[in-house]
Structures are given as C-alpha cells and as structure tokens.
C-alpha cells in the first residue's frame, strides 16, 4: 500500500450507470483559446460527449456548474475521442469522435456571455465518414510526412486499416494473419503504424508500404483479375513479447530519438524505433492503464502506471519513484495543464469517476504546544504504574477468547433432525441399487439478534450422503428476526457412509460505523443423522467373516430398550440378536450374551462393523446416563484386525496406482491424437492432393482408445471413491477399538483421529497413504520413541506417493505395538522414553527395525533377539587399533545382525567393557568375547587377508554363541 494518497484537486461523477473505456478520455485545448489551458473531453458508451474546464476555488471543492462547458448526447456509442488538425484549410484543433460505424469531426467554439455564467459552447459538425466495417480504435498523425495537418487511421474489428485524408477516404489495407484487434499507435519519426497482433507480437508497418500494397477492396479478386500492380503487405519489424498488450504509446521528447512504450499484462516494455528493447520492467501487479510524460532528468522518461489495486505508480525508466493511492481503478490516465497548475493527473474509471489529482502531501498547520518544565513526582508515577499493571493482570486472567459482547452470538444457527423418515422419499439421482432409498428431513433455523447483511447458509454432509439443496441465500436479516429452511438427506452413492453427521454454516456481515459494508462473521452447528437412514431391520445371520466383542461392566440390556426403532416390541425382552441390512446390500448382526456382560458384532465386511459398533456404544452410554450411572465403561480385549485393515489399504492403493497408469496412457494417446490431427491438417491444406495413407483410420482408432481409456479412468475413479469410503469406515473402527483397548482419553483419541483421518477427500496429488505414513512416523519419533536417537531423526518435508504400502503397514503395526508396551500419545516432543509395560490382548509384537528381525540360522533352532539399547563408552589410549572397514562381501556373508552384535566390541576394544560384560552377563558370553579379541589380533598381525580370517573366525564364534541368550 502506498505511503501517500493522490491529493484530490477536482473530481466529479459522470452520469448514472454509464460505461467508459480506455479511449473515452482526452485532454487538449479543443476550443483553440490560445491560453495553453487544457480541457477535458470525455465520451461514454451511452453516447454522451462532455467537455470540462475545471477551476476549483480551492483543492477538493465540489464541481461548479460553469466547469461543464458542453454536454451533448450523440446517437451512437462513443468508442474514442481525439483532438488534432483534422480539417483542411486551417491549422486549428478539431475534435474527432469515433463511433461503431461512423467517424465525425467537430469544431468546438465558445461565445462570450454578458454575465459570469453566460459563456456558451457549441459543436459544429465539419464532416463525417460512414464506415463499411465495425470500428475498434483509431490513431492520427502526419502520415507520409505532411505538414500542418493530421490524417486519421481506423482499425476495424476484422483487421482492416482504413486511412482518411481529412474529408476524403484514402485507402484500406488488411493486416496479414489477423485474428483479433489490438492497440494501435503512429510513430511520426519512422512514419509507421505499430500494433500488437493476437500472436502476442509487436508489429510495425510503414505508411509507404501500406500505400503501395494491394487495395483491400481488391484482395479477394486479385487472383481472378491477375492484377500486376500492387505489392504484398510486408511487416517492417516484429518483436515477440509473449503476452497481450493493453496499450501502446509512442513518445519523442527530443529530436534525437523516439521510444515505443508497450504495456503488457505483466510487463512494461520500452522499444527503440527499430523494435529493439531499450528496457523492460516486470510488474508484480495487474496494470490497467499508463501514460509516459517528459522527465526533468535528461535521457530518461517518466511513466504513470495504474493498476487494479487502486495504486498509481510513477517510474523513471524502470525505477519506481513514487506510489499513491487512488479512490478507484482507472481505465485511462492523462497529464494536463490547468490555469497555473501544470502536470495535473487526470484519471477516469469505468463507472465514470473523473478526477484531477496531484502528488505530494498537504502541509500540516498544527504546532505542538510548549510543554511546561516541571519536576517529576516518582511516587505518583509508581502508583500509576502499579494501577495500570493491576488492570493488565485482571484483563489477562480471563480465559475467554472473544470479548464480553461476543459471548452471546449475534447470529445463531440450529438444526433439528426429524425422528421419522419421510413418507415420500426426496432422494434424487441416487445410485443405490435398493428398491426405495429413504430420506430424512432436517429443519434449519437462523436467528439474528442484530442486523446481518448478506446471510448465506451452506449445508454439508460427507459423501456418499447428499442433500436436496446445499446452498441458501437470504435477504438482509433485521434485528430479532429468523429464517427457516427445510431440506432432506439421503444416500446417493452405492456405498455405506463412514460418518452420519452434517454441518450447517452461516456467513454474514455485521455493519459498523467505520465499515458500513460489514465485518464478515461465521456461525455454525453440527447435527447427527439416525442409523435407520442407511439400513433397516433384517434377520440376524449366524455365520460371518469378521467378529468383534465389546466388554462392559454392566449386565446386557435388552435390544428392545436400546434399539426400539429396529426391534419389534412383540418380541419382548428375549431379543438378544438383531440384524441390520444396509441399503448397499451387506448385513451386520448384533448379539448380546445371556451369561456375560458382552456384545458381539459380526459381518462379512470389516467396514460394515463401524456404524453398528458406534451406535451400540452411543446408545449404551445414553441409556446408563439417563439412569444416573456414572461408572459405566466399555472395553475391548481382542486383537486389532490389522490384517483385514491392511487389505483395504492395499485395495485403495492399487486403485490409486491404476489411476496414475490411466492418466499416463491418456496423456500418451492425447499426444498421438494431436500429432495425427496435425498431419491430417497438413494434408488437407496442401494444394496438390495426396493420399492420406490410412491416417483417418489411425485417427479413428486413437479416438476410440482415448474414449475407452477415459471410461476406464472414470470407472476406476468411482471404485476409488468407494474404496476410500470403506477405508475411512474401517479406520474409524480401528481408532475406536484402540481407544477402548488402551482406555485413551478424549485428547488422545483426537490425536488418533488427526493421525489416521487427515483428509476429507482423497486426491492423486495428496493421498491418504503418504499423509498417514508421515503422521504415524512423527508420533513414532516423538511421543512413542524409545530413545533419543529416534527423536533426532528428521522426516522428509515433501509428501509423495509411495511405491508400495509395506512401510505404512509396518509403521501402523509398530504404532500399535508401542501402545501395547505402555506408550502414551502426546503432542509434546519432550516426552521421555516410555516404560515397557505390556498390556493384555492387543496385537502381536513385530520387529521395530531390521536390527530386531528374528534371524534363523540353518542347522540351529535358537533365535537372537535384541531387547534393549547399547551403551556408548570412549576407548582409552593404548587399546587395540580398530580393524579395517568391511567390504560388501563381508556384509553379505556375515549378515547385518551378526555385525551389529559383535562389531561394537571390536571397534572399542576396551578391557573395561569386557570386564563389565563378564560381571553382568554369563561367563560363556565373556569367554566368547575374549576369544573374539584373540582371533582379531592374530588376523591383524598376519600377512594374509585380515578380512577373510576375521570372517571365518566370526562364523565359528557365532555358531558357538548361538545357544547363548544375551542383551546388548
């Protein structure tokens, strides 16, 4: 943002709902007063022509009636206004007005009145030209080097340059390769027209070349008449700028050279006469208009560039000299001289805000009063300081984030879910294969205590659920008013939803004195949907592939009591089995034990257990809460179904890989299709017919392959969506089982959910696998780490799709294993090493790294296992030297585990270590270590290859030490 604002000298608003553009503003002494004072000429698309002569009494005054010299409504929209010597026989200035199909030249004159407001101005039509083509813009100048008069060149929408020698039409020429019109300017020094084509190239055409080229009216008949006269229109020079141009301006402030300024969408160019770049400036904003003007420093040019951020930047060549804030976004900017004030900046916006401003600041007339010198009373200052500190402490004690006025929200939103399903289903475009898809009505009420502007309601439910309408826009809410909407929720996709919850969010603006447009605010609420929206009662099944058992500390409750909407009341209290038939076709059975305090949930699909398990625990908690029973709890003592969970992960990851393959194949076929198209187009453009060589057949076959691949990719995308929904359901189930198994707190469950459910939607750029892997790895290296070494490891900052899921599955299993050993979830990175306390149940322990993998030696049934950490000690001087580093062959023959077990002893070679091992471990282990030391010394002193002898001795010692179970 600029430091200073543009100082308003004079401003006005033109008309009502009129539109203006770049060519609608011009400043010149149009009435030929001879005073050197410019007038402002403005034309609008509504056909109004206005001429102003601003002269405020003091800067910032409102516009005076005498400031408007002339206001005329023409019959057609005004595209551009220019002032020049357009009438033959006189060198006076005249006004040229460009319409869509007409060019008019007027003479502006004034008559002196007898009173102050008696001056009268009128325009007189000198001549006009009716255009055969729709005009776009125009430029003027002394074409061909004429003296004392200006000619006019008009560019049409179809690329024709029409040149007029004042009252007569000269000729017309079509620009080669034209597609869309661009800005047009004339350079008097080189006598050439400069424009920017749709190819994003700056092109220059000589006037002489245009004059002697083939006439545009004869262009289509050239080959038929075989005219010998006329030349081909050839461009003088071309410069590729790589972007579309907004405006072109040619300036020449000295006799030496002229410069061509081109304002692009993101760059600002200054070119020489021959098209070479003098300099360029890359802009970090979106410009709207510009104007070069003379600089006080010789050899430089100043430029005003306005942008869409309402900032006016002043550049000296490429150096930014000043920046000021404007009240609106200008579409045209000029520099004019008024009365005794030179260099006034005139800006015009697209809605008619005309302003004359200048840069700088107003002088401040305020003078600080003199301060009476007095002695400082330190006692009063200390008392005042203590009082202020007391106020600060009381203000910081409160835990409320919002101030007192925000405790009661200005706008509240509530959602009321109907307890019964809709009698007539409102489901539309549902892909569920069931006969009738039920729907449920949700009533949402918005209440406002204050005036709220632009309230908008958004209702969101996670797929595969859908709502009949998810966006609502209301009129402004009055104080103490309310709005109510009713919508229906139903199952749209053919898979079970992972969550039966929805969110309502209202966005609105609260107006204030300083901000009448309003401060944006948001209010939201959540609502839960019943289970019967996605399933209905069915006969329970005895056999199932997946079973879970939930233990409680209370006797089992009859299903008639906790599931009255799924159990027939006629069954009484004897109903201990309940079946749930999902709309997608799968079935889940709920069983209550008659002799123990257990409930069993079973189904053929793992993901279908989630909703029923969640509903069971929720209804049990609500039942005992109503009975004021506070010690009710649920536990899970079985094993976490990780293998079944990993199968869902592999299925989802396989579909992601397929999506990448389809994308690559589609890209290859698209490239092939475009290449065949180019070859066919070349054949069709050739004047001499040539055989297609089966290119049409190849094009048709490639097109069919593209369509088939697109259909396969779309089907794979639908399958991946269903797989992700199943994976989310299974993830919710695993999180619940872990929380019941480890009795996690609410904060720890929140950490689990943030770790395993980080994404609401799955994409190819950021998938579930890599995100969860990074989160689990972070927990394993922080709160669940076993040593400071693991905490020191750094994780990769980039997330990319992995090659497979082996690392992810290993980290998840290791995560569960460390929780089983007593690890506790925490976001603090300063947690110490967790104690090894094994919990009952859970999942089987797996190796935590390659060093803990169990290695079986052929010919032996013993196993080495590592259960601790190695202690580092420094070797003393005089100990044996370290052996040479082993080769790759040594690693392959001896094995990584064997090297890790025996190599620290050889590397350190300290007797103190051996003695400590001898005192703390079995005597056989100490003898093995000593024998290892002796073998190593012999290998070091021998002239033979020490590595070979070391390996052979290590194998013997390893086989001898296999029956020993030790701890490093």
């Amino acid at each position: 943002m600029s430091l200073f604002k543009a100082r308003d000298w004079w401003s006005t608003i033109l008309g009502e709902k009129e539109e203006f553009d770049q060519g609608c503003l011009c400043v010149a002494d149009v009435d030929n007063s001879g005073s050197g004072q410019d007038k402002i000429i403005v034309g609008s698309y509504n056909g109004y022509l206005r001429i102003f002569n601003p002269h405020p009494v003091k800067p910032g005054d409102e516009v005076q009636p005498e400031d408007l010299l002339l206001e005329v409504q023409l019959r057609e929209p005004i595209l551009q206004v220019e002032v020049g010597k357009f009438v033959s026989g006189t060198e006076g200035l005249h006004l040229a007005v460009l319409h869509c199909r007409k060019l008019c030249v007027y003479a502006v004159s004034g008559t002196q009145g007898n009173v102050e407001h008696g001056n009268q101005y009128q325009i007189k039509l000198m001549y006009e030209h009716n255009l055969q083509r729709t005009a776009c813009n125009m430029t003027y100048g002394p074409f061909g080097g004429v003296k004392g008069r200006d000619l006019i060149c008009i560019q049409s929408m179809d690329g024709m340059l029409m040149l007029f020698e004042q009252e007569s039409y000269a000729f017309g020429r079509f620009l080669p390769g034209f597609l869309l019109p661009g800005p047009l300017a004339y350079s008097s020094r080189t006598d050439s027209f400069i424009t920017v084509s749709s190819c994003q190239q700056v092109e220059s055409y000589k006037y002489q070349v245009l004059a002697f080229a083939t006439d545009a009216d004869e262009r289509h008949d050239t080959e038929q008449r075989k005219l010998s006269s006329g030349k081909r229109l050839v461009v003088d020079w071309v410069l590729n700028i790589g972007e579309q141009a907004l405006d072109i301006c040619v300036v020449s402030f000295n006799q030496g050279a002229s410069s061509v300024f081109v304002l692009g969408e993101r760059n600002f160019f200054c070119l020489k006469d021959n098209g070479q770049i003098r300099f360029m400036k890359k802009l970090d904003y979106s410009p709207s208009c510009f104007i070069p003007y003379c600089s006080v420093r010789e050899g430089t040019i100043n430029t005003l560039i306005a942008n869409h951020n309402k900032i006016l930047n002043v550049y000296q060549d490429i150096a930014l000299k000043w920046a000021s804030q404007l009240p609106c976004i200008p579409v045209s900017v000029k520099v004019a001289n008024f009365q005794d004030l030179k260099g006034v900046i005139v800006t015009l916006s697209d809605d008619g805000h005309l302003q004359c401003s200048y840069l700088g600041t107003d002088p401040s007339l305020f003078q600080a009063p003199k301060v009476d010198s007095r002695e400082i009373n330190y006692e009063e200052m200390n008392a005042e300081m203590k009082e202020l500190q007391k106020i600060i402490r009381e203000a910081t004690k409160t835990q409320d984030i919002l101030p007192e006025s925000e405790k009661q929200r200005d706008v509240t939103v509530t959602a009321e879910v109907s307890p019964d399903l809709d009698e007539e289903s409102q489901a539309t475009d549902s892909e569920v294969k069931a006969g009738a898809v039920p729907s449920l009505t949700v009533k949402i009420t918005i209440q406002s205590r204050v005036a709220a502007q632009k309230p908008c309601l958004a209702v969101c439910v996670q797929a595969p659920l859908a709502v009949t309408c998810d966006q609502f826009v209301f009129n402004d809410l009055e104080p103490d008013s309310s709005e109510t909407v009713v919508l229906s929720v139903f199952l749209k996709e053919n898979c079970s939803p992972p969550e039966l919850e929805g969110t309502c969010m209202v966005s609105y603006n609260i107006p204030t004195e300083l901000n009448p447009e309003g401060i944006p605010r948001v209010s939201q609420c959540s609502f839960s949907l019943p289970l019967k929206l996605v399933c209905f009662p069915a006969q329970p099944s005895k056999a199932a592939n997946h079973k879970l058992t939930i233990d409680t500390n209370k006797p089992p409750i009859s299903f008639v009591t906790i599931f009255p909407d799924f159990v027939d009341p006629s069954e009484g209290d004897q109903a201990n089995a309940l079946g749930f038939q999902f709309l997608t076709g799968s079935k889940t059975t709920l069983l209550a034990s008659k002799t123990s305090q257990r409930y069993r949930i079973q189904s053929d699909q793992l993901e279908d257990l989630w909703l029923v398990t969640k509903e069971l625990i929720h209804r049990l908690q609500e039942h005992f809460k109503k009975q004021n029973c506070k010690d009710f709890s649920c536990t899970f003592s079985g094993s976490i179904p990780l293998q079944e969970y990993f199968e869902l992960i592999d299925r989802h990851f396989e579909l992601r890989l397929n999506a990448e393959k389809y994308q690559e194949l589609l890209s290859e076929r698209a490239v092939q299709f475009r290449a065949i198209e180019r070859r066919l187009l070349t054949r069709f453009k050739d004047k001499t017919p040539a055989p297609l060589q089966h290119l049409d057949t190849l094009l048709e076959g490639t097109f069919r392959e593209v369509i088939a691949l697109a259909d396969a990719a779309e089907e794979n995308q639908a399958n991946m969506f269903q797989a992700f929904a199943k994976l989310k359901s299974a993830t919710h189930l695993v999180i619940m089982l872990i929380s019941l198994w480890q009795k996690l707190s609410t904060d720890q469950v929140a950490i689990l959910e943030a770790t395993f459910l980080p994404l609401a939607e799955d994409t190819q750029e950021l998938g579930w696998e890599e995100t969860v892997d990074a989160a689990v790895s972070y927990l394993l290296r922080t709160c669940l780490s076993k040593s400071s070494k693991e905490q020191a490891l750094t994780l990769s900052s980039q997330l990319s799709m992995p090659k497979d899921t082996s690392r992810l599955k290993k980290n998840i299993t290791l995560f569960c294993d460390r929780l089983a050993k007593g690890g506790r979830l925490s976001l603090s990175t300063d947690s110490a090493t967790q104690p090894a306390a094994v919990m009952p149940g859970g999942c089987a322990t797996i190796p935590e790294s390659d060093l803990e993998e169990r290695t079986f030696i052929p010919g032996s049934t013993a196993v080495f296992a590592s259960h601790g950490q190695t202690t580092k000690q420094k070797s003393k001087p005089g100990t044996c030297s370290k052996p040479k580093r082993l080769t790759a062959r040594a690693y392959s023959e001896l094995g990584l585990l064997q090297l890790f077990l025996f190599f620290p002893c050889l590397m350190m070679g300290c007797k103190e270590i051996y003695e400590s091992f001898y005192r703390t471990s079995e005597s056989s282990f100490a003898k093995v270590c000593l024998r290892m030391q002796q073998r190593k010394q012999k290998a070091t002193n021998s002239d033979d290859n020490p590595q070979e002898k070391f390996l052979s001795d290590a194998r013997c010692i390893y086989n001898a030490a296999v029956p020993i179970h030790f701890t490093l």
Side-chain angles (χ1 to χ4, degrees):
M1 192 171 181
S2 62
L3 180 61
F4 301 106
K5 292 184 179 180
R7 315 306 300 178
D8 186 11
W9 184 68
W10 178 90
S11 63
T12 183
I13 303 297
L14 305 179
E16 294 182 0
K17 297 182 180 179
E18 295 188 38
E19 295 183 9
F20 303 84
D21 206 351
Q22 183 177 359
C24 296
L25 176 65
C26 179
V27 291
D29 188 13
V30 67
D31 59 343
N32 299 287
S33 63
S35 62
Q37 181 177 347
D38 293 331
K39 281 76 177 176
I40 303 176
I41 304 99
V42 182
S44 71
Y45 284 167
N46 296 57
Y48 286 93
L49 177 66
R50 299 179 179 91
I51 301 178
F52 293 93
N53 183 21
H55 52 281
V57 179
K58 60 180 181 179
D61 279 353
E62 295 182 357
V63 59
Q64 302 296 323
E66 61 269 18
D67 293 345
L68 180 60
L69 302 183
L70 180 67
E71 182 176 11
V72 180
Q73 183 177 11
L74 305 180
R75 296 181 179 179
E76 299 180 8
I78 300 175
L79 303 182
Q80 190 172 346
V81 289
E82 296 291 350
V83 175
K85 304 174 183 179
F86 301 134
V87 178
S88 60
T90 177
E91 293 188 0
L93 298 178
H94 291 75
L95 176 63
V97 180
L98 179 64
H99 302 285
C100 296
R101 288 277 184 168
K102 185 186 296 184
L103 172 65
C104 301
V105 176
Y106 298 94
V108 181
S109 59
T111 303
Q112 187 72 25
N114 296 327
V115 294
E116 181 182 358
H117 304 294
N119 297 340
Q120 297 179 0
Y121 286 82
Q122 60 272 351
I123 60 172
K124 179 182 178 181
L125 179 64
M126 304 303 295
Y127 61 87
E128 66 179 16
H129 293 288
N130 293 320
L131 307 179
Q132 300 298 323
R133 301 178 182 274
T134 304
C136 177
N137 52 22
M138 68 176 177
T139 186
Y140 68 95
F143 304 160
V146 297
K147 302 294 183 180
R149 58 177 179 165
D150 293 327
L151 309 184
I152 299 177
C153 177
I154 299 177
Q155 181 181 206
S156 66
M157 295 297 292
D158 57 352
M160 181 180 179
L161 297 183
M162 297 173 287
L163 285 89
F164 298 88
E165 294 184 358
Q166 296 182 344
E167 291 87 351
S168 61
Y169 172 73
F171 56 87
R173 302 290 184 264
F174 278 100
L175 297 178
F178 181 86
L179 182 60
L180 294 174
L184 180 67
Y186 172 74
S187 175
S188 59
R189 177 176 173 80
T190 59
D191 193 23
S192 58
F193 298 95
I194 303 172
T195 183
V196 178
S197 66
S198 57
C199 300
Q200 301 178 352
Q201 294 178 348
V202 182
E203 300 176 353
S204 175
Y205 297 92
K206 290 284 188 179
Y207 176 76
Q208 296 296 333
V209 177
L210 289 172
F212 289 102
T214 304
D215 194 355
D217 298 333
E218 302 175 356
R219 189 184 66 167
H220 300 289
D221 303 332
T222 300
E223 294 183 1
Q224 298 177 4
R225 299 183 182 180
K226 298 183 179 179
L227 297 175
S228 58
S229 62
K231 298 180 180 179
R232 183 181 178 185
L233 184 58
V234 180
V235 65
D236 185 24
W237 53 263
V238 177
L239 176 66
N240 191 345
I241 61 175
E243 58 182 331
Q244 296 295 335
L246 302 179
D247 197 5
I248 295 179
C249 189
V250 180
V251 295
S252 178
F253 297 118
N254 53 54
Q255 300 298 328
S258 62
S259 300
V260 180
F261 288 87
V262 181
L263 180 64
E265 295 174 338
R266 285 296 178 184
N267 295 279
F268 172 59
F269 303 89
C270 178
L271 312 179
K272 297 181 181 179
D273 295 335
N274 56 1
Q276 296 180 357
I277 296 180
R278 190 187 302 273
F279 63 81
M280 68 171 291
K281 173 70 175 178
K282 183 175 179 60
L283 307 177
D284 55 355
Y285 50 81
S286 178
S288 60
C289 57
F290 86 122
I291 183 70
Y293 66 97
C294 184
S295 174
V296 295
R297 182 179 176 184
E298 186 176 357
T300 61
I301 298 177
N302 287 3
T303 309
L304 297 176
I305 302 180
N307 59 33
H308 287 83
N309 297 329
K310 302 180 182 180
I311 302 296
L312 182 66
N313 298 309
V314 183
Y315 290 92
Q316 188 176 76
D317 288 347
I318 61 174
L320 180 63
K321 294 298 183 180
W322 196 266
S324 61
Q325 182 77 42
L326 295 175
C328 56
I329 301 174
V331 294
S332 182
V333 58
K334 303 292 181 181
V335 178
N337 299 325
F338 299 116
Q339 293 180 349
D340 296 331
L341 187 61
K342 296 183 179 181
V344 177
I345 301 173
V346 183
T347 56
L348 176 67
S349 67
D350 59 350
D351 56 354
H353 188 102
L354 180 63
Q355 181 183 19
C356 298
S357 57
Y358 59 92
L359 304 180
T361 58
D362 292 333
S364 177
L365 302 179
F366 173 77
Q367 293 182 357
K370 295 182 179 180
V371 180
D372 297 334
S373 59
R374 58 180 181 177
E375 296 181 357
I376 301 176
N377 190 339
Y378 292 100
E379 294 181 357
E380 293 181 359
M381 292 182 60
N382 290 334
E384 184 179 0
M385 180 63 70
K386 291 180 180 179
E387 185 68 22
L388 293 176
Q389 290 178 350
K390 181 180 178 181
I391 295 174
I392 293 173
R393 284 194 300 269
E394 291 178 356
T396 55
K397 282 181 180 179
T398 176
Q399 300 297 326
D400 296 336
I401 299 177
L402 296 176
E404 294 293 331
S405 60
E406 293 292 331
K407 286 188 176 180
Q408 185 177 2
R409 301 213 41 105
D410 297 330
V411 176
T412 57
V413 55
T414 57
E416 180 182 354
V417 180
S418 174
D420 301 323
L421 298 176
D422 297 339
E423 295 182 359
E424 183 178 354
S425 178
Q426 303 296 323
T428 57
D429 300 333
S430 178
E431 299 178 1
V432 181
K433 299 179 181 179
V437 179
S439 63
L440 191 72
T441 300
V442 180
K443 181 180 179 182
I444 302 174
T445 304
I446 302 174
Q447 295 180 345
S448 176
R449 296 190 305 107
V450 297
Q453 299 177 353
K454 302 177 182 178
C456 298
L457 172 64
V459 183
C460 177
V461 292
Q462 289 195 13
L465 294 176
V467 294
T468 53
C469 184
D470 59 350
Q471 297 287 340
F472 298 91
V473 180
F474 306 98
N475 297 325
D476 295 347
L477 296 177
E478 300 295 332
D480 298 327
S481 61
S482 63
E483 291 283 349
T484 303
V485 295
V486 177
L487 52 92
S488 296
V489 186
F490 59 93
L491 184 65
K492 186 174 183 180
E493 306 290 341
N494 191 25
C495 59
S496 299
E499 295 180 1
L500 290 175
E501 295 179 354
T503 304
C504 304
M505 183 174 64
V506 178
S507 60
Y508 56 93
N509 294 338
I510 299 296
T512 60
E513 295 181 359
L514 299 178
N515 191 355
E517 296 182 358
I519 302 175
R521 299 287 178 85
V522 174
S523 180
Q524 62 181 0
C525 73
S526 301
F527 58 90
S528 299
L529 300 171
L531 183 62
K532 59 184 177 182
L533 181 62
V534 295
C535 65
F536 53 87
Q539 289 294 329
S541 59
K542 297 182 179 180
N545 297 332
H546 305 279
K547 300 178 181 180
L548 293 178
T549 302
I550 303 298
D551 298 331
T552 64
N553 57 351
K554 298 295 180 181
I557 307 300
S558 174
F559 289 155
V560 178
T561 304
I562 59 177
F563 286 98
D565 48 347
F566 284 91
V567 179
D568 189 0
S570 61
E571 296 185 11
D573 296 341
Q574 303 300 322
N576 63 340
L578 183 60
F580 299 88
Q581 180 76 37
F582 287 91
L583 298 179
T584 56
S586 57
K587 181 183 292 186
T588 302
T589 302
L590 178 61
L591 303 173
S593 176
K594 297 181 179 180
T595 58
S596 61
Q597 303 170 355
R598 293 183 177 182
Y599 298 89
R600 170 169 290 182
I601 308 97
Q602 58 187 22
S603 176
D604 290 335
Q605 305 293 334
L606 178 65
E607 62 274 7
D608 293 334
L609 299 175
W610 156 241
L611 289 178
V612 178
T613 306
K614 176 187 176 183
E615 190 72 14
L616 171 65
I617 295 178
H618 173 70
R619 296 200 180 194
L620 287 175
Q621 292 174 348
E622 292 295 327
H623 173 75
F624 288 104
K625 185 178 180 180
K626 292 179 181 179
Q627 296 184 355
N628 294 327
C629 181
K630 299 181 180 180
D631 59 344
F632 172 75
S633 63
C634 297
T635 58
F636 177 73
S637 58
S639 59
I640 306 297
L642 290 183
Q643 294 301 325
E644 297 84 352
Y645 182 53
F646 290 160
E647 291 178 1
L648 293 175
I649 294 177
D650 291 336
R651 172 59 179 166
H652 175 258
F653 187 73
E654 179 185 358
L655 293 174
R656 287 188 63 193
L657 292 179
N658 293 341
E660 273 197 346
K661 294 178 182 178
Y662 284 130
Q663 186 175 0
E664 293 176 0
L665 291 175
L666 270 174
S667 178
E668 293 176 0
R669 293 299 180 269
V671 171
Q672 177 180 335
F673 188 78
R674 289 192 293 269
I676 300 172
E677 279 185 328
R678 284 195 296 268
R679 294 212 173 183
L680 276 175
L681 188 60
T682 304
R683 295 289 178 90
F684 291 150
K685 283 185 176 181
D686 195 357
K687 294 182 179 180
T688 59
L692 297 180
Q693 297 180 350
H694 303 288
L695 285 177
D696 53 344
T697 305
L698 187 58
L699 181 68
E700 183 180 358
T702 307
F703 176 75
R704 291 179 179 177
E705 289 184 3
V706 170
I707 296 300
L709 285 174
D711 294 340
E714 187 176 3
E715 182 182 359
N716 184 81
Q717 188 71 21
N719 294 336
M720 188 166 63
F721 170 78
Q722 295 185 5
F724 186 62
K726 295 179 180 180
L727 180 60
K728 288 179 65 176
S729 299
T731 303
H732 278 292
L733 179 64
V734 170
I735 291 174
M736 172 177 284
L737 296 181
I738 292 177
S739 62
L740 296 178
W741 166 44
Q742 291 291 318
K743 299 180 180 179
L744 301 181
S745 62
T746 305
D747 295 339
Q748 292 175 331
V749 174
I751 295 176
L752 267 182
E753 292 178 349
T755 302
F756 287 92
L757 295 170
L759 302 176
E761 296 181 0
D762 192 32
T763 60
Q764 286 295 112
E765 293 77 11
L766 183 62
W768 183 88
E769 286 80 7
E770 55 265 28
T771 311
V772 173
D773 187 25
V776 174
S777 300
Y778 174 80
L779 292 179
L780 291 176
R781 284 163 173 78
T782 53
C783 59
L784 297 180
S785 63
K786 297 187 64 178
S787 64
S788 58
K789 289 183 180 180
E790 293 185 359
Q791 295 182 2
L793 295 177
T794 58
L795 299 176
S796 175
S797 59
Q798 291 185 348
L799 295 181
S800 58
M801 185 175 177
K803 297 181 180 179
D804 52 36
T805 59
S806 58
R807 172 186 169 86
L808 172 62
K809 293 187 289 187
K810 183 176 181 180
N811 285 339
I812 293 177
T813 312
L814 182 58
F815 174 83
C816 297
D817 182 47
R818 291 195 178 177
L819 284 179
K821 292 181 179 179
R824 285 294 174 261
L825 296 177
S826 173
L827 294 180
S828 175
T829 57
D830 299 331
S831 58
T833 303
Q834 303 291 343
V838 181
M839 302 293 293
C843 55
T845 305
I846 69 160
E848 299 183 5
S849 64
D850 293 336
L851 306 181
E852 294 183 4
E853 291 184 357
R854 298 184 176 182
T855 307
F856 291 88
I857 308 300
S860 175
T861 59
V863 177
F864 271 93
S866 175
H867 301 282
Q869 301 173 4
T870 306
T871 304
K872 292 186 178 180
Q873 294 186 9
K874 297 182 179 180
S875 58
K876 294 183 178 180
T879 56
C880 59
S881 61
K882 299 179 181 179
K884 297 182 179 180
R885 190 173 183 178
L886 298 183
T887 60
R889 179 187 174 191
Y891 277 99
S892 60
E893 291 191 5
L894 188 58
L896 181 60
L897 179 61
Q898 303 171 25
L899 289 176
F900 179 76
L901 295 177
F902 293 101
F903 209 71
C905 303
L906 305 178
M907 291 292 290
M908 289 180 284
C910 296
K911 294 182 180 179
E912 290 79 5
I913 299 178
Y914 298 148
E915 292 174 359
S916 63
F917 273 120
Y918 188 84
R919 290 193 300 267
T920 57
S921 304
E922 298 178 0
S923 59
S924 57
F925 173 71
K927 294 178 182 179
V928 169
C929 293
L930 292 176
R931 185 180 177 187
M932 192 77 177
Q933 175 70 10
Q934 296 173 0
R935 294 283 187 179
K936 174 195 165 278
Q937 291 179 354
K938 290 182 180 180
T940 305
N941 298 331
S942 176
D943 295 336
D944 298 335
N945 189 353
Q947 291 184 354
E948 294 294 337
K949 292 188 176 182
F950 174 72
L951 291 176
S952 62
D953 294 341
R955 294 190 194 98
C956 297
I957 296 174
Y958 181 82
N959 293 330
V962 163
I964 307 171
H965 186 76
F966 62 93
T967 303
L968 288 180

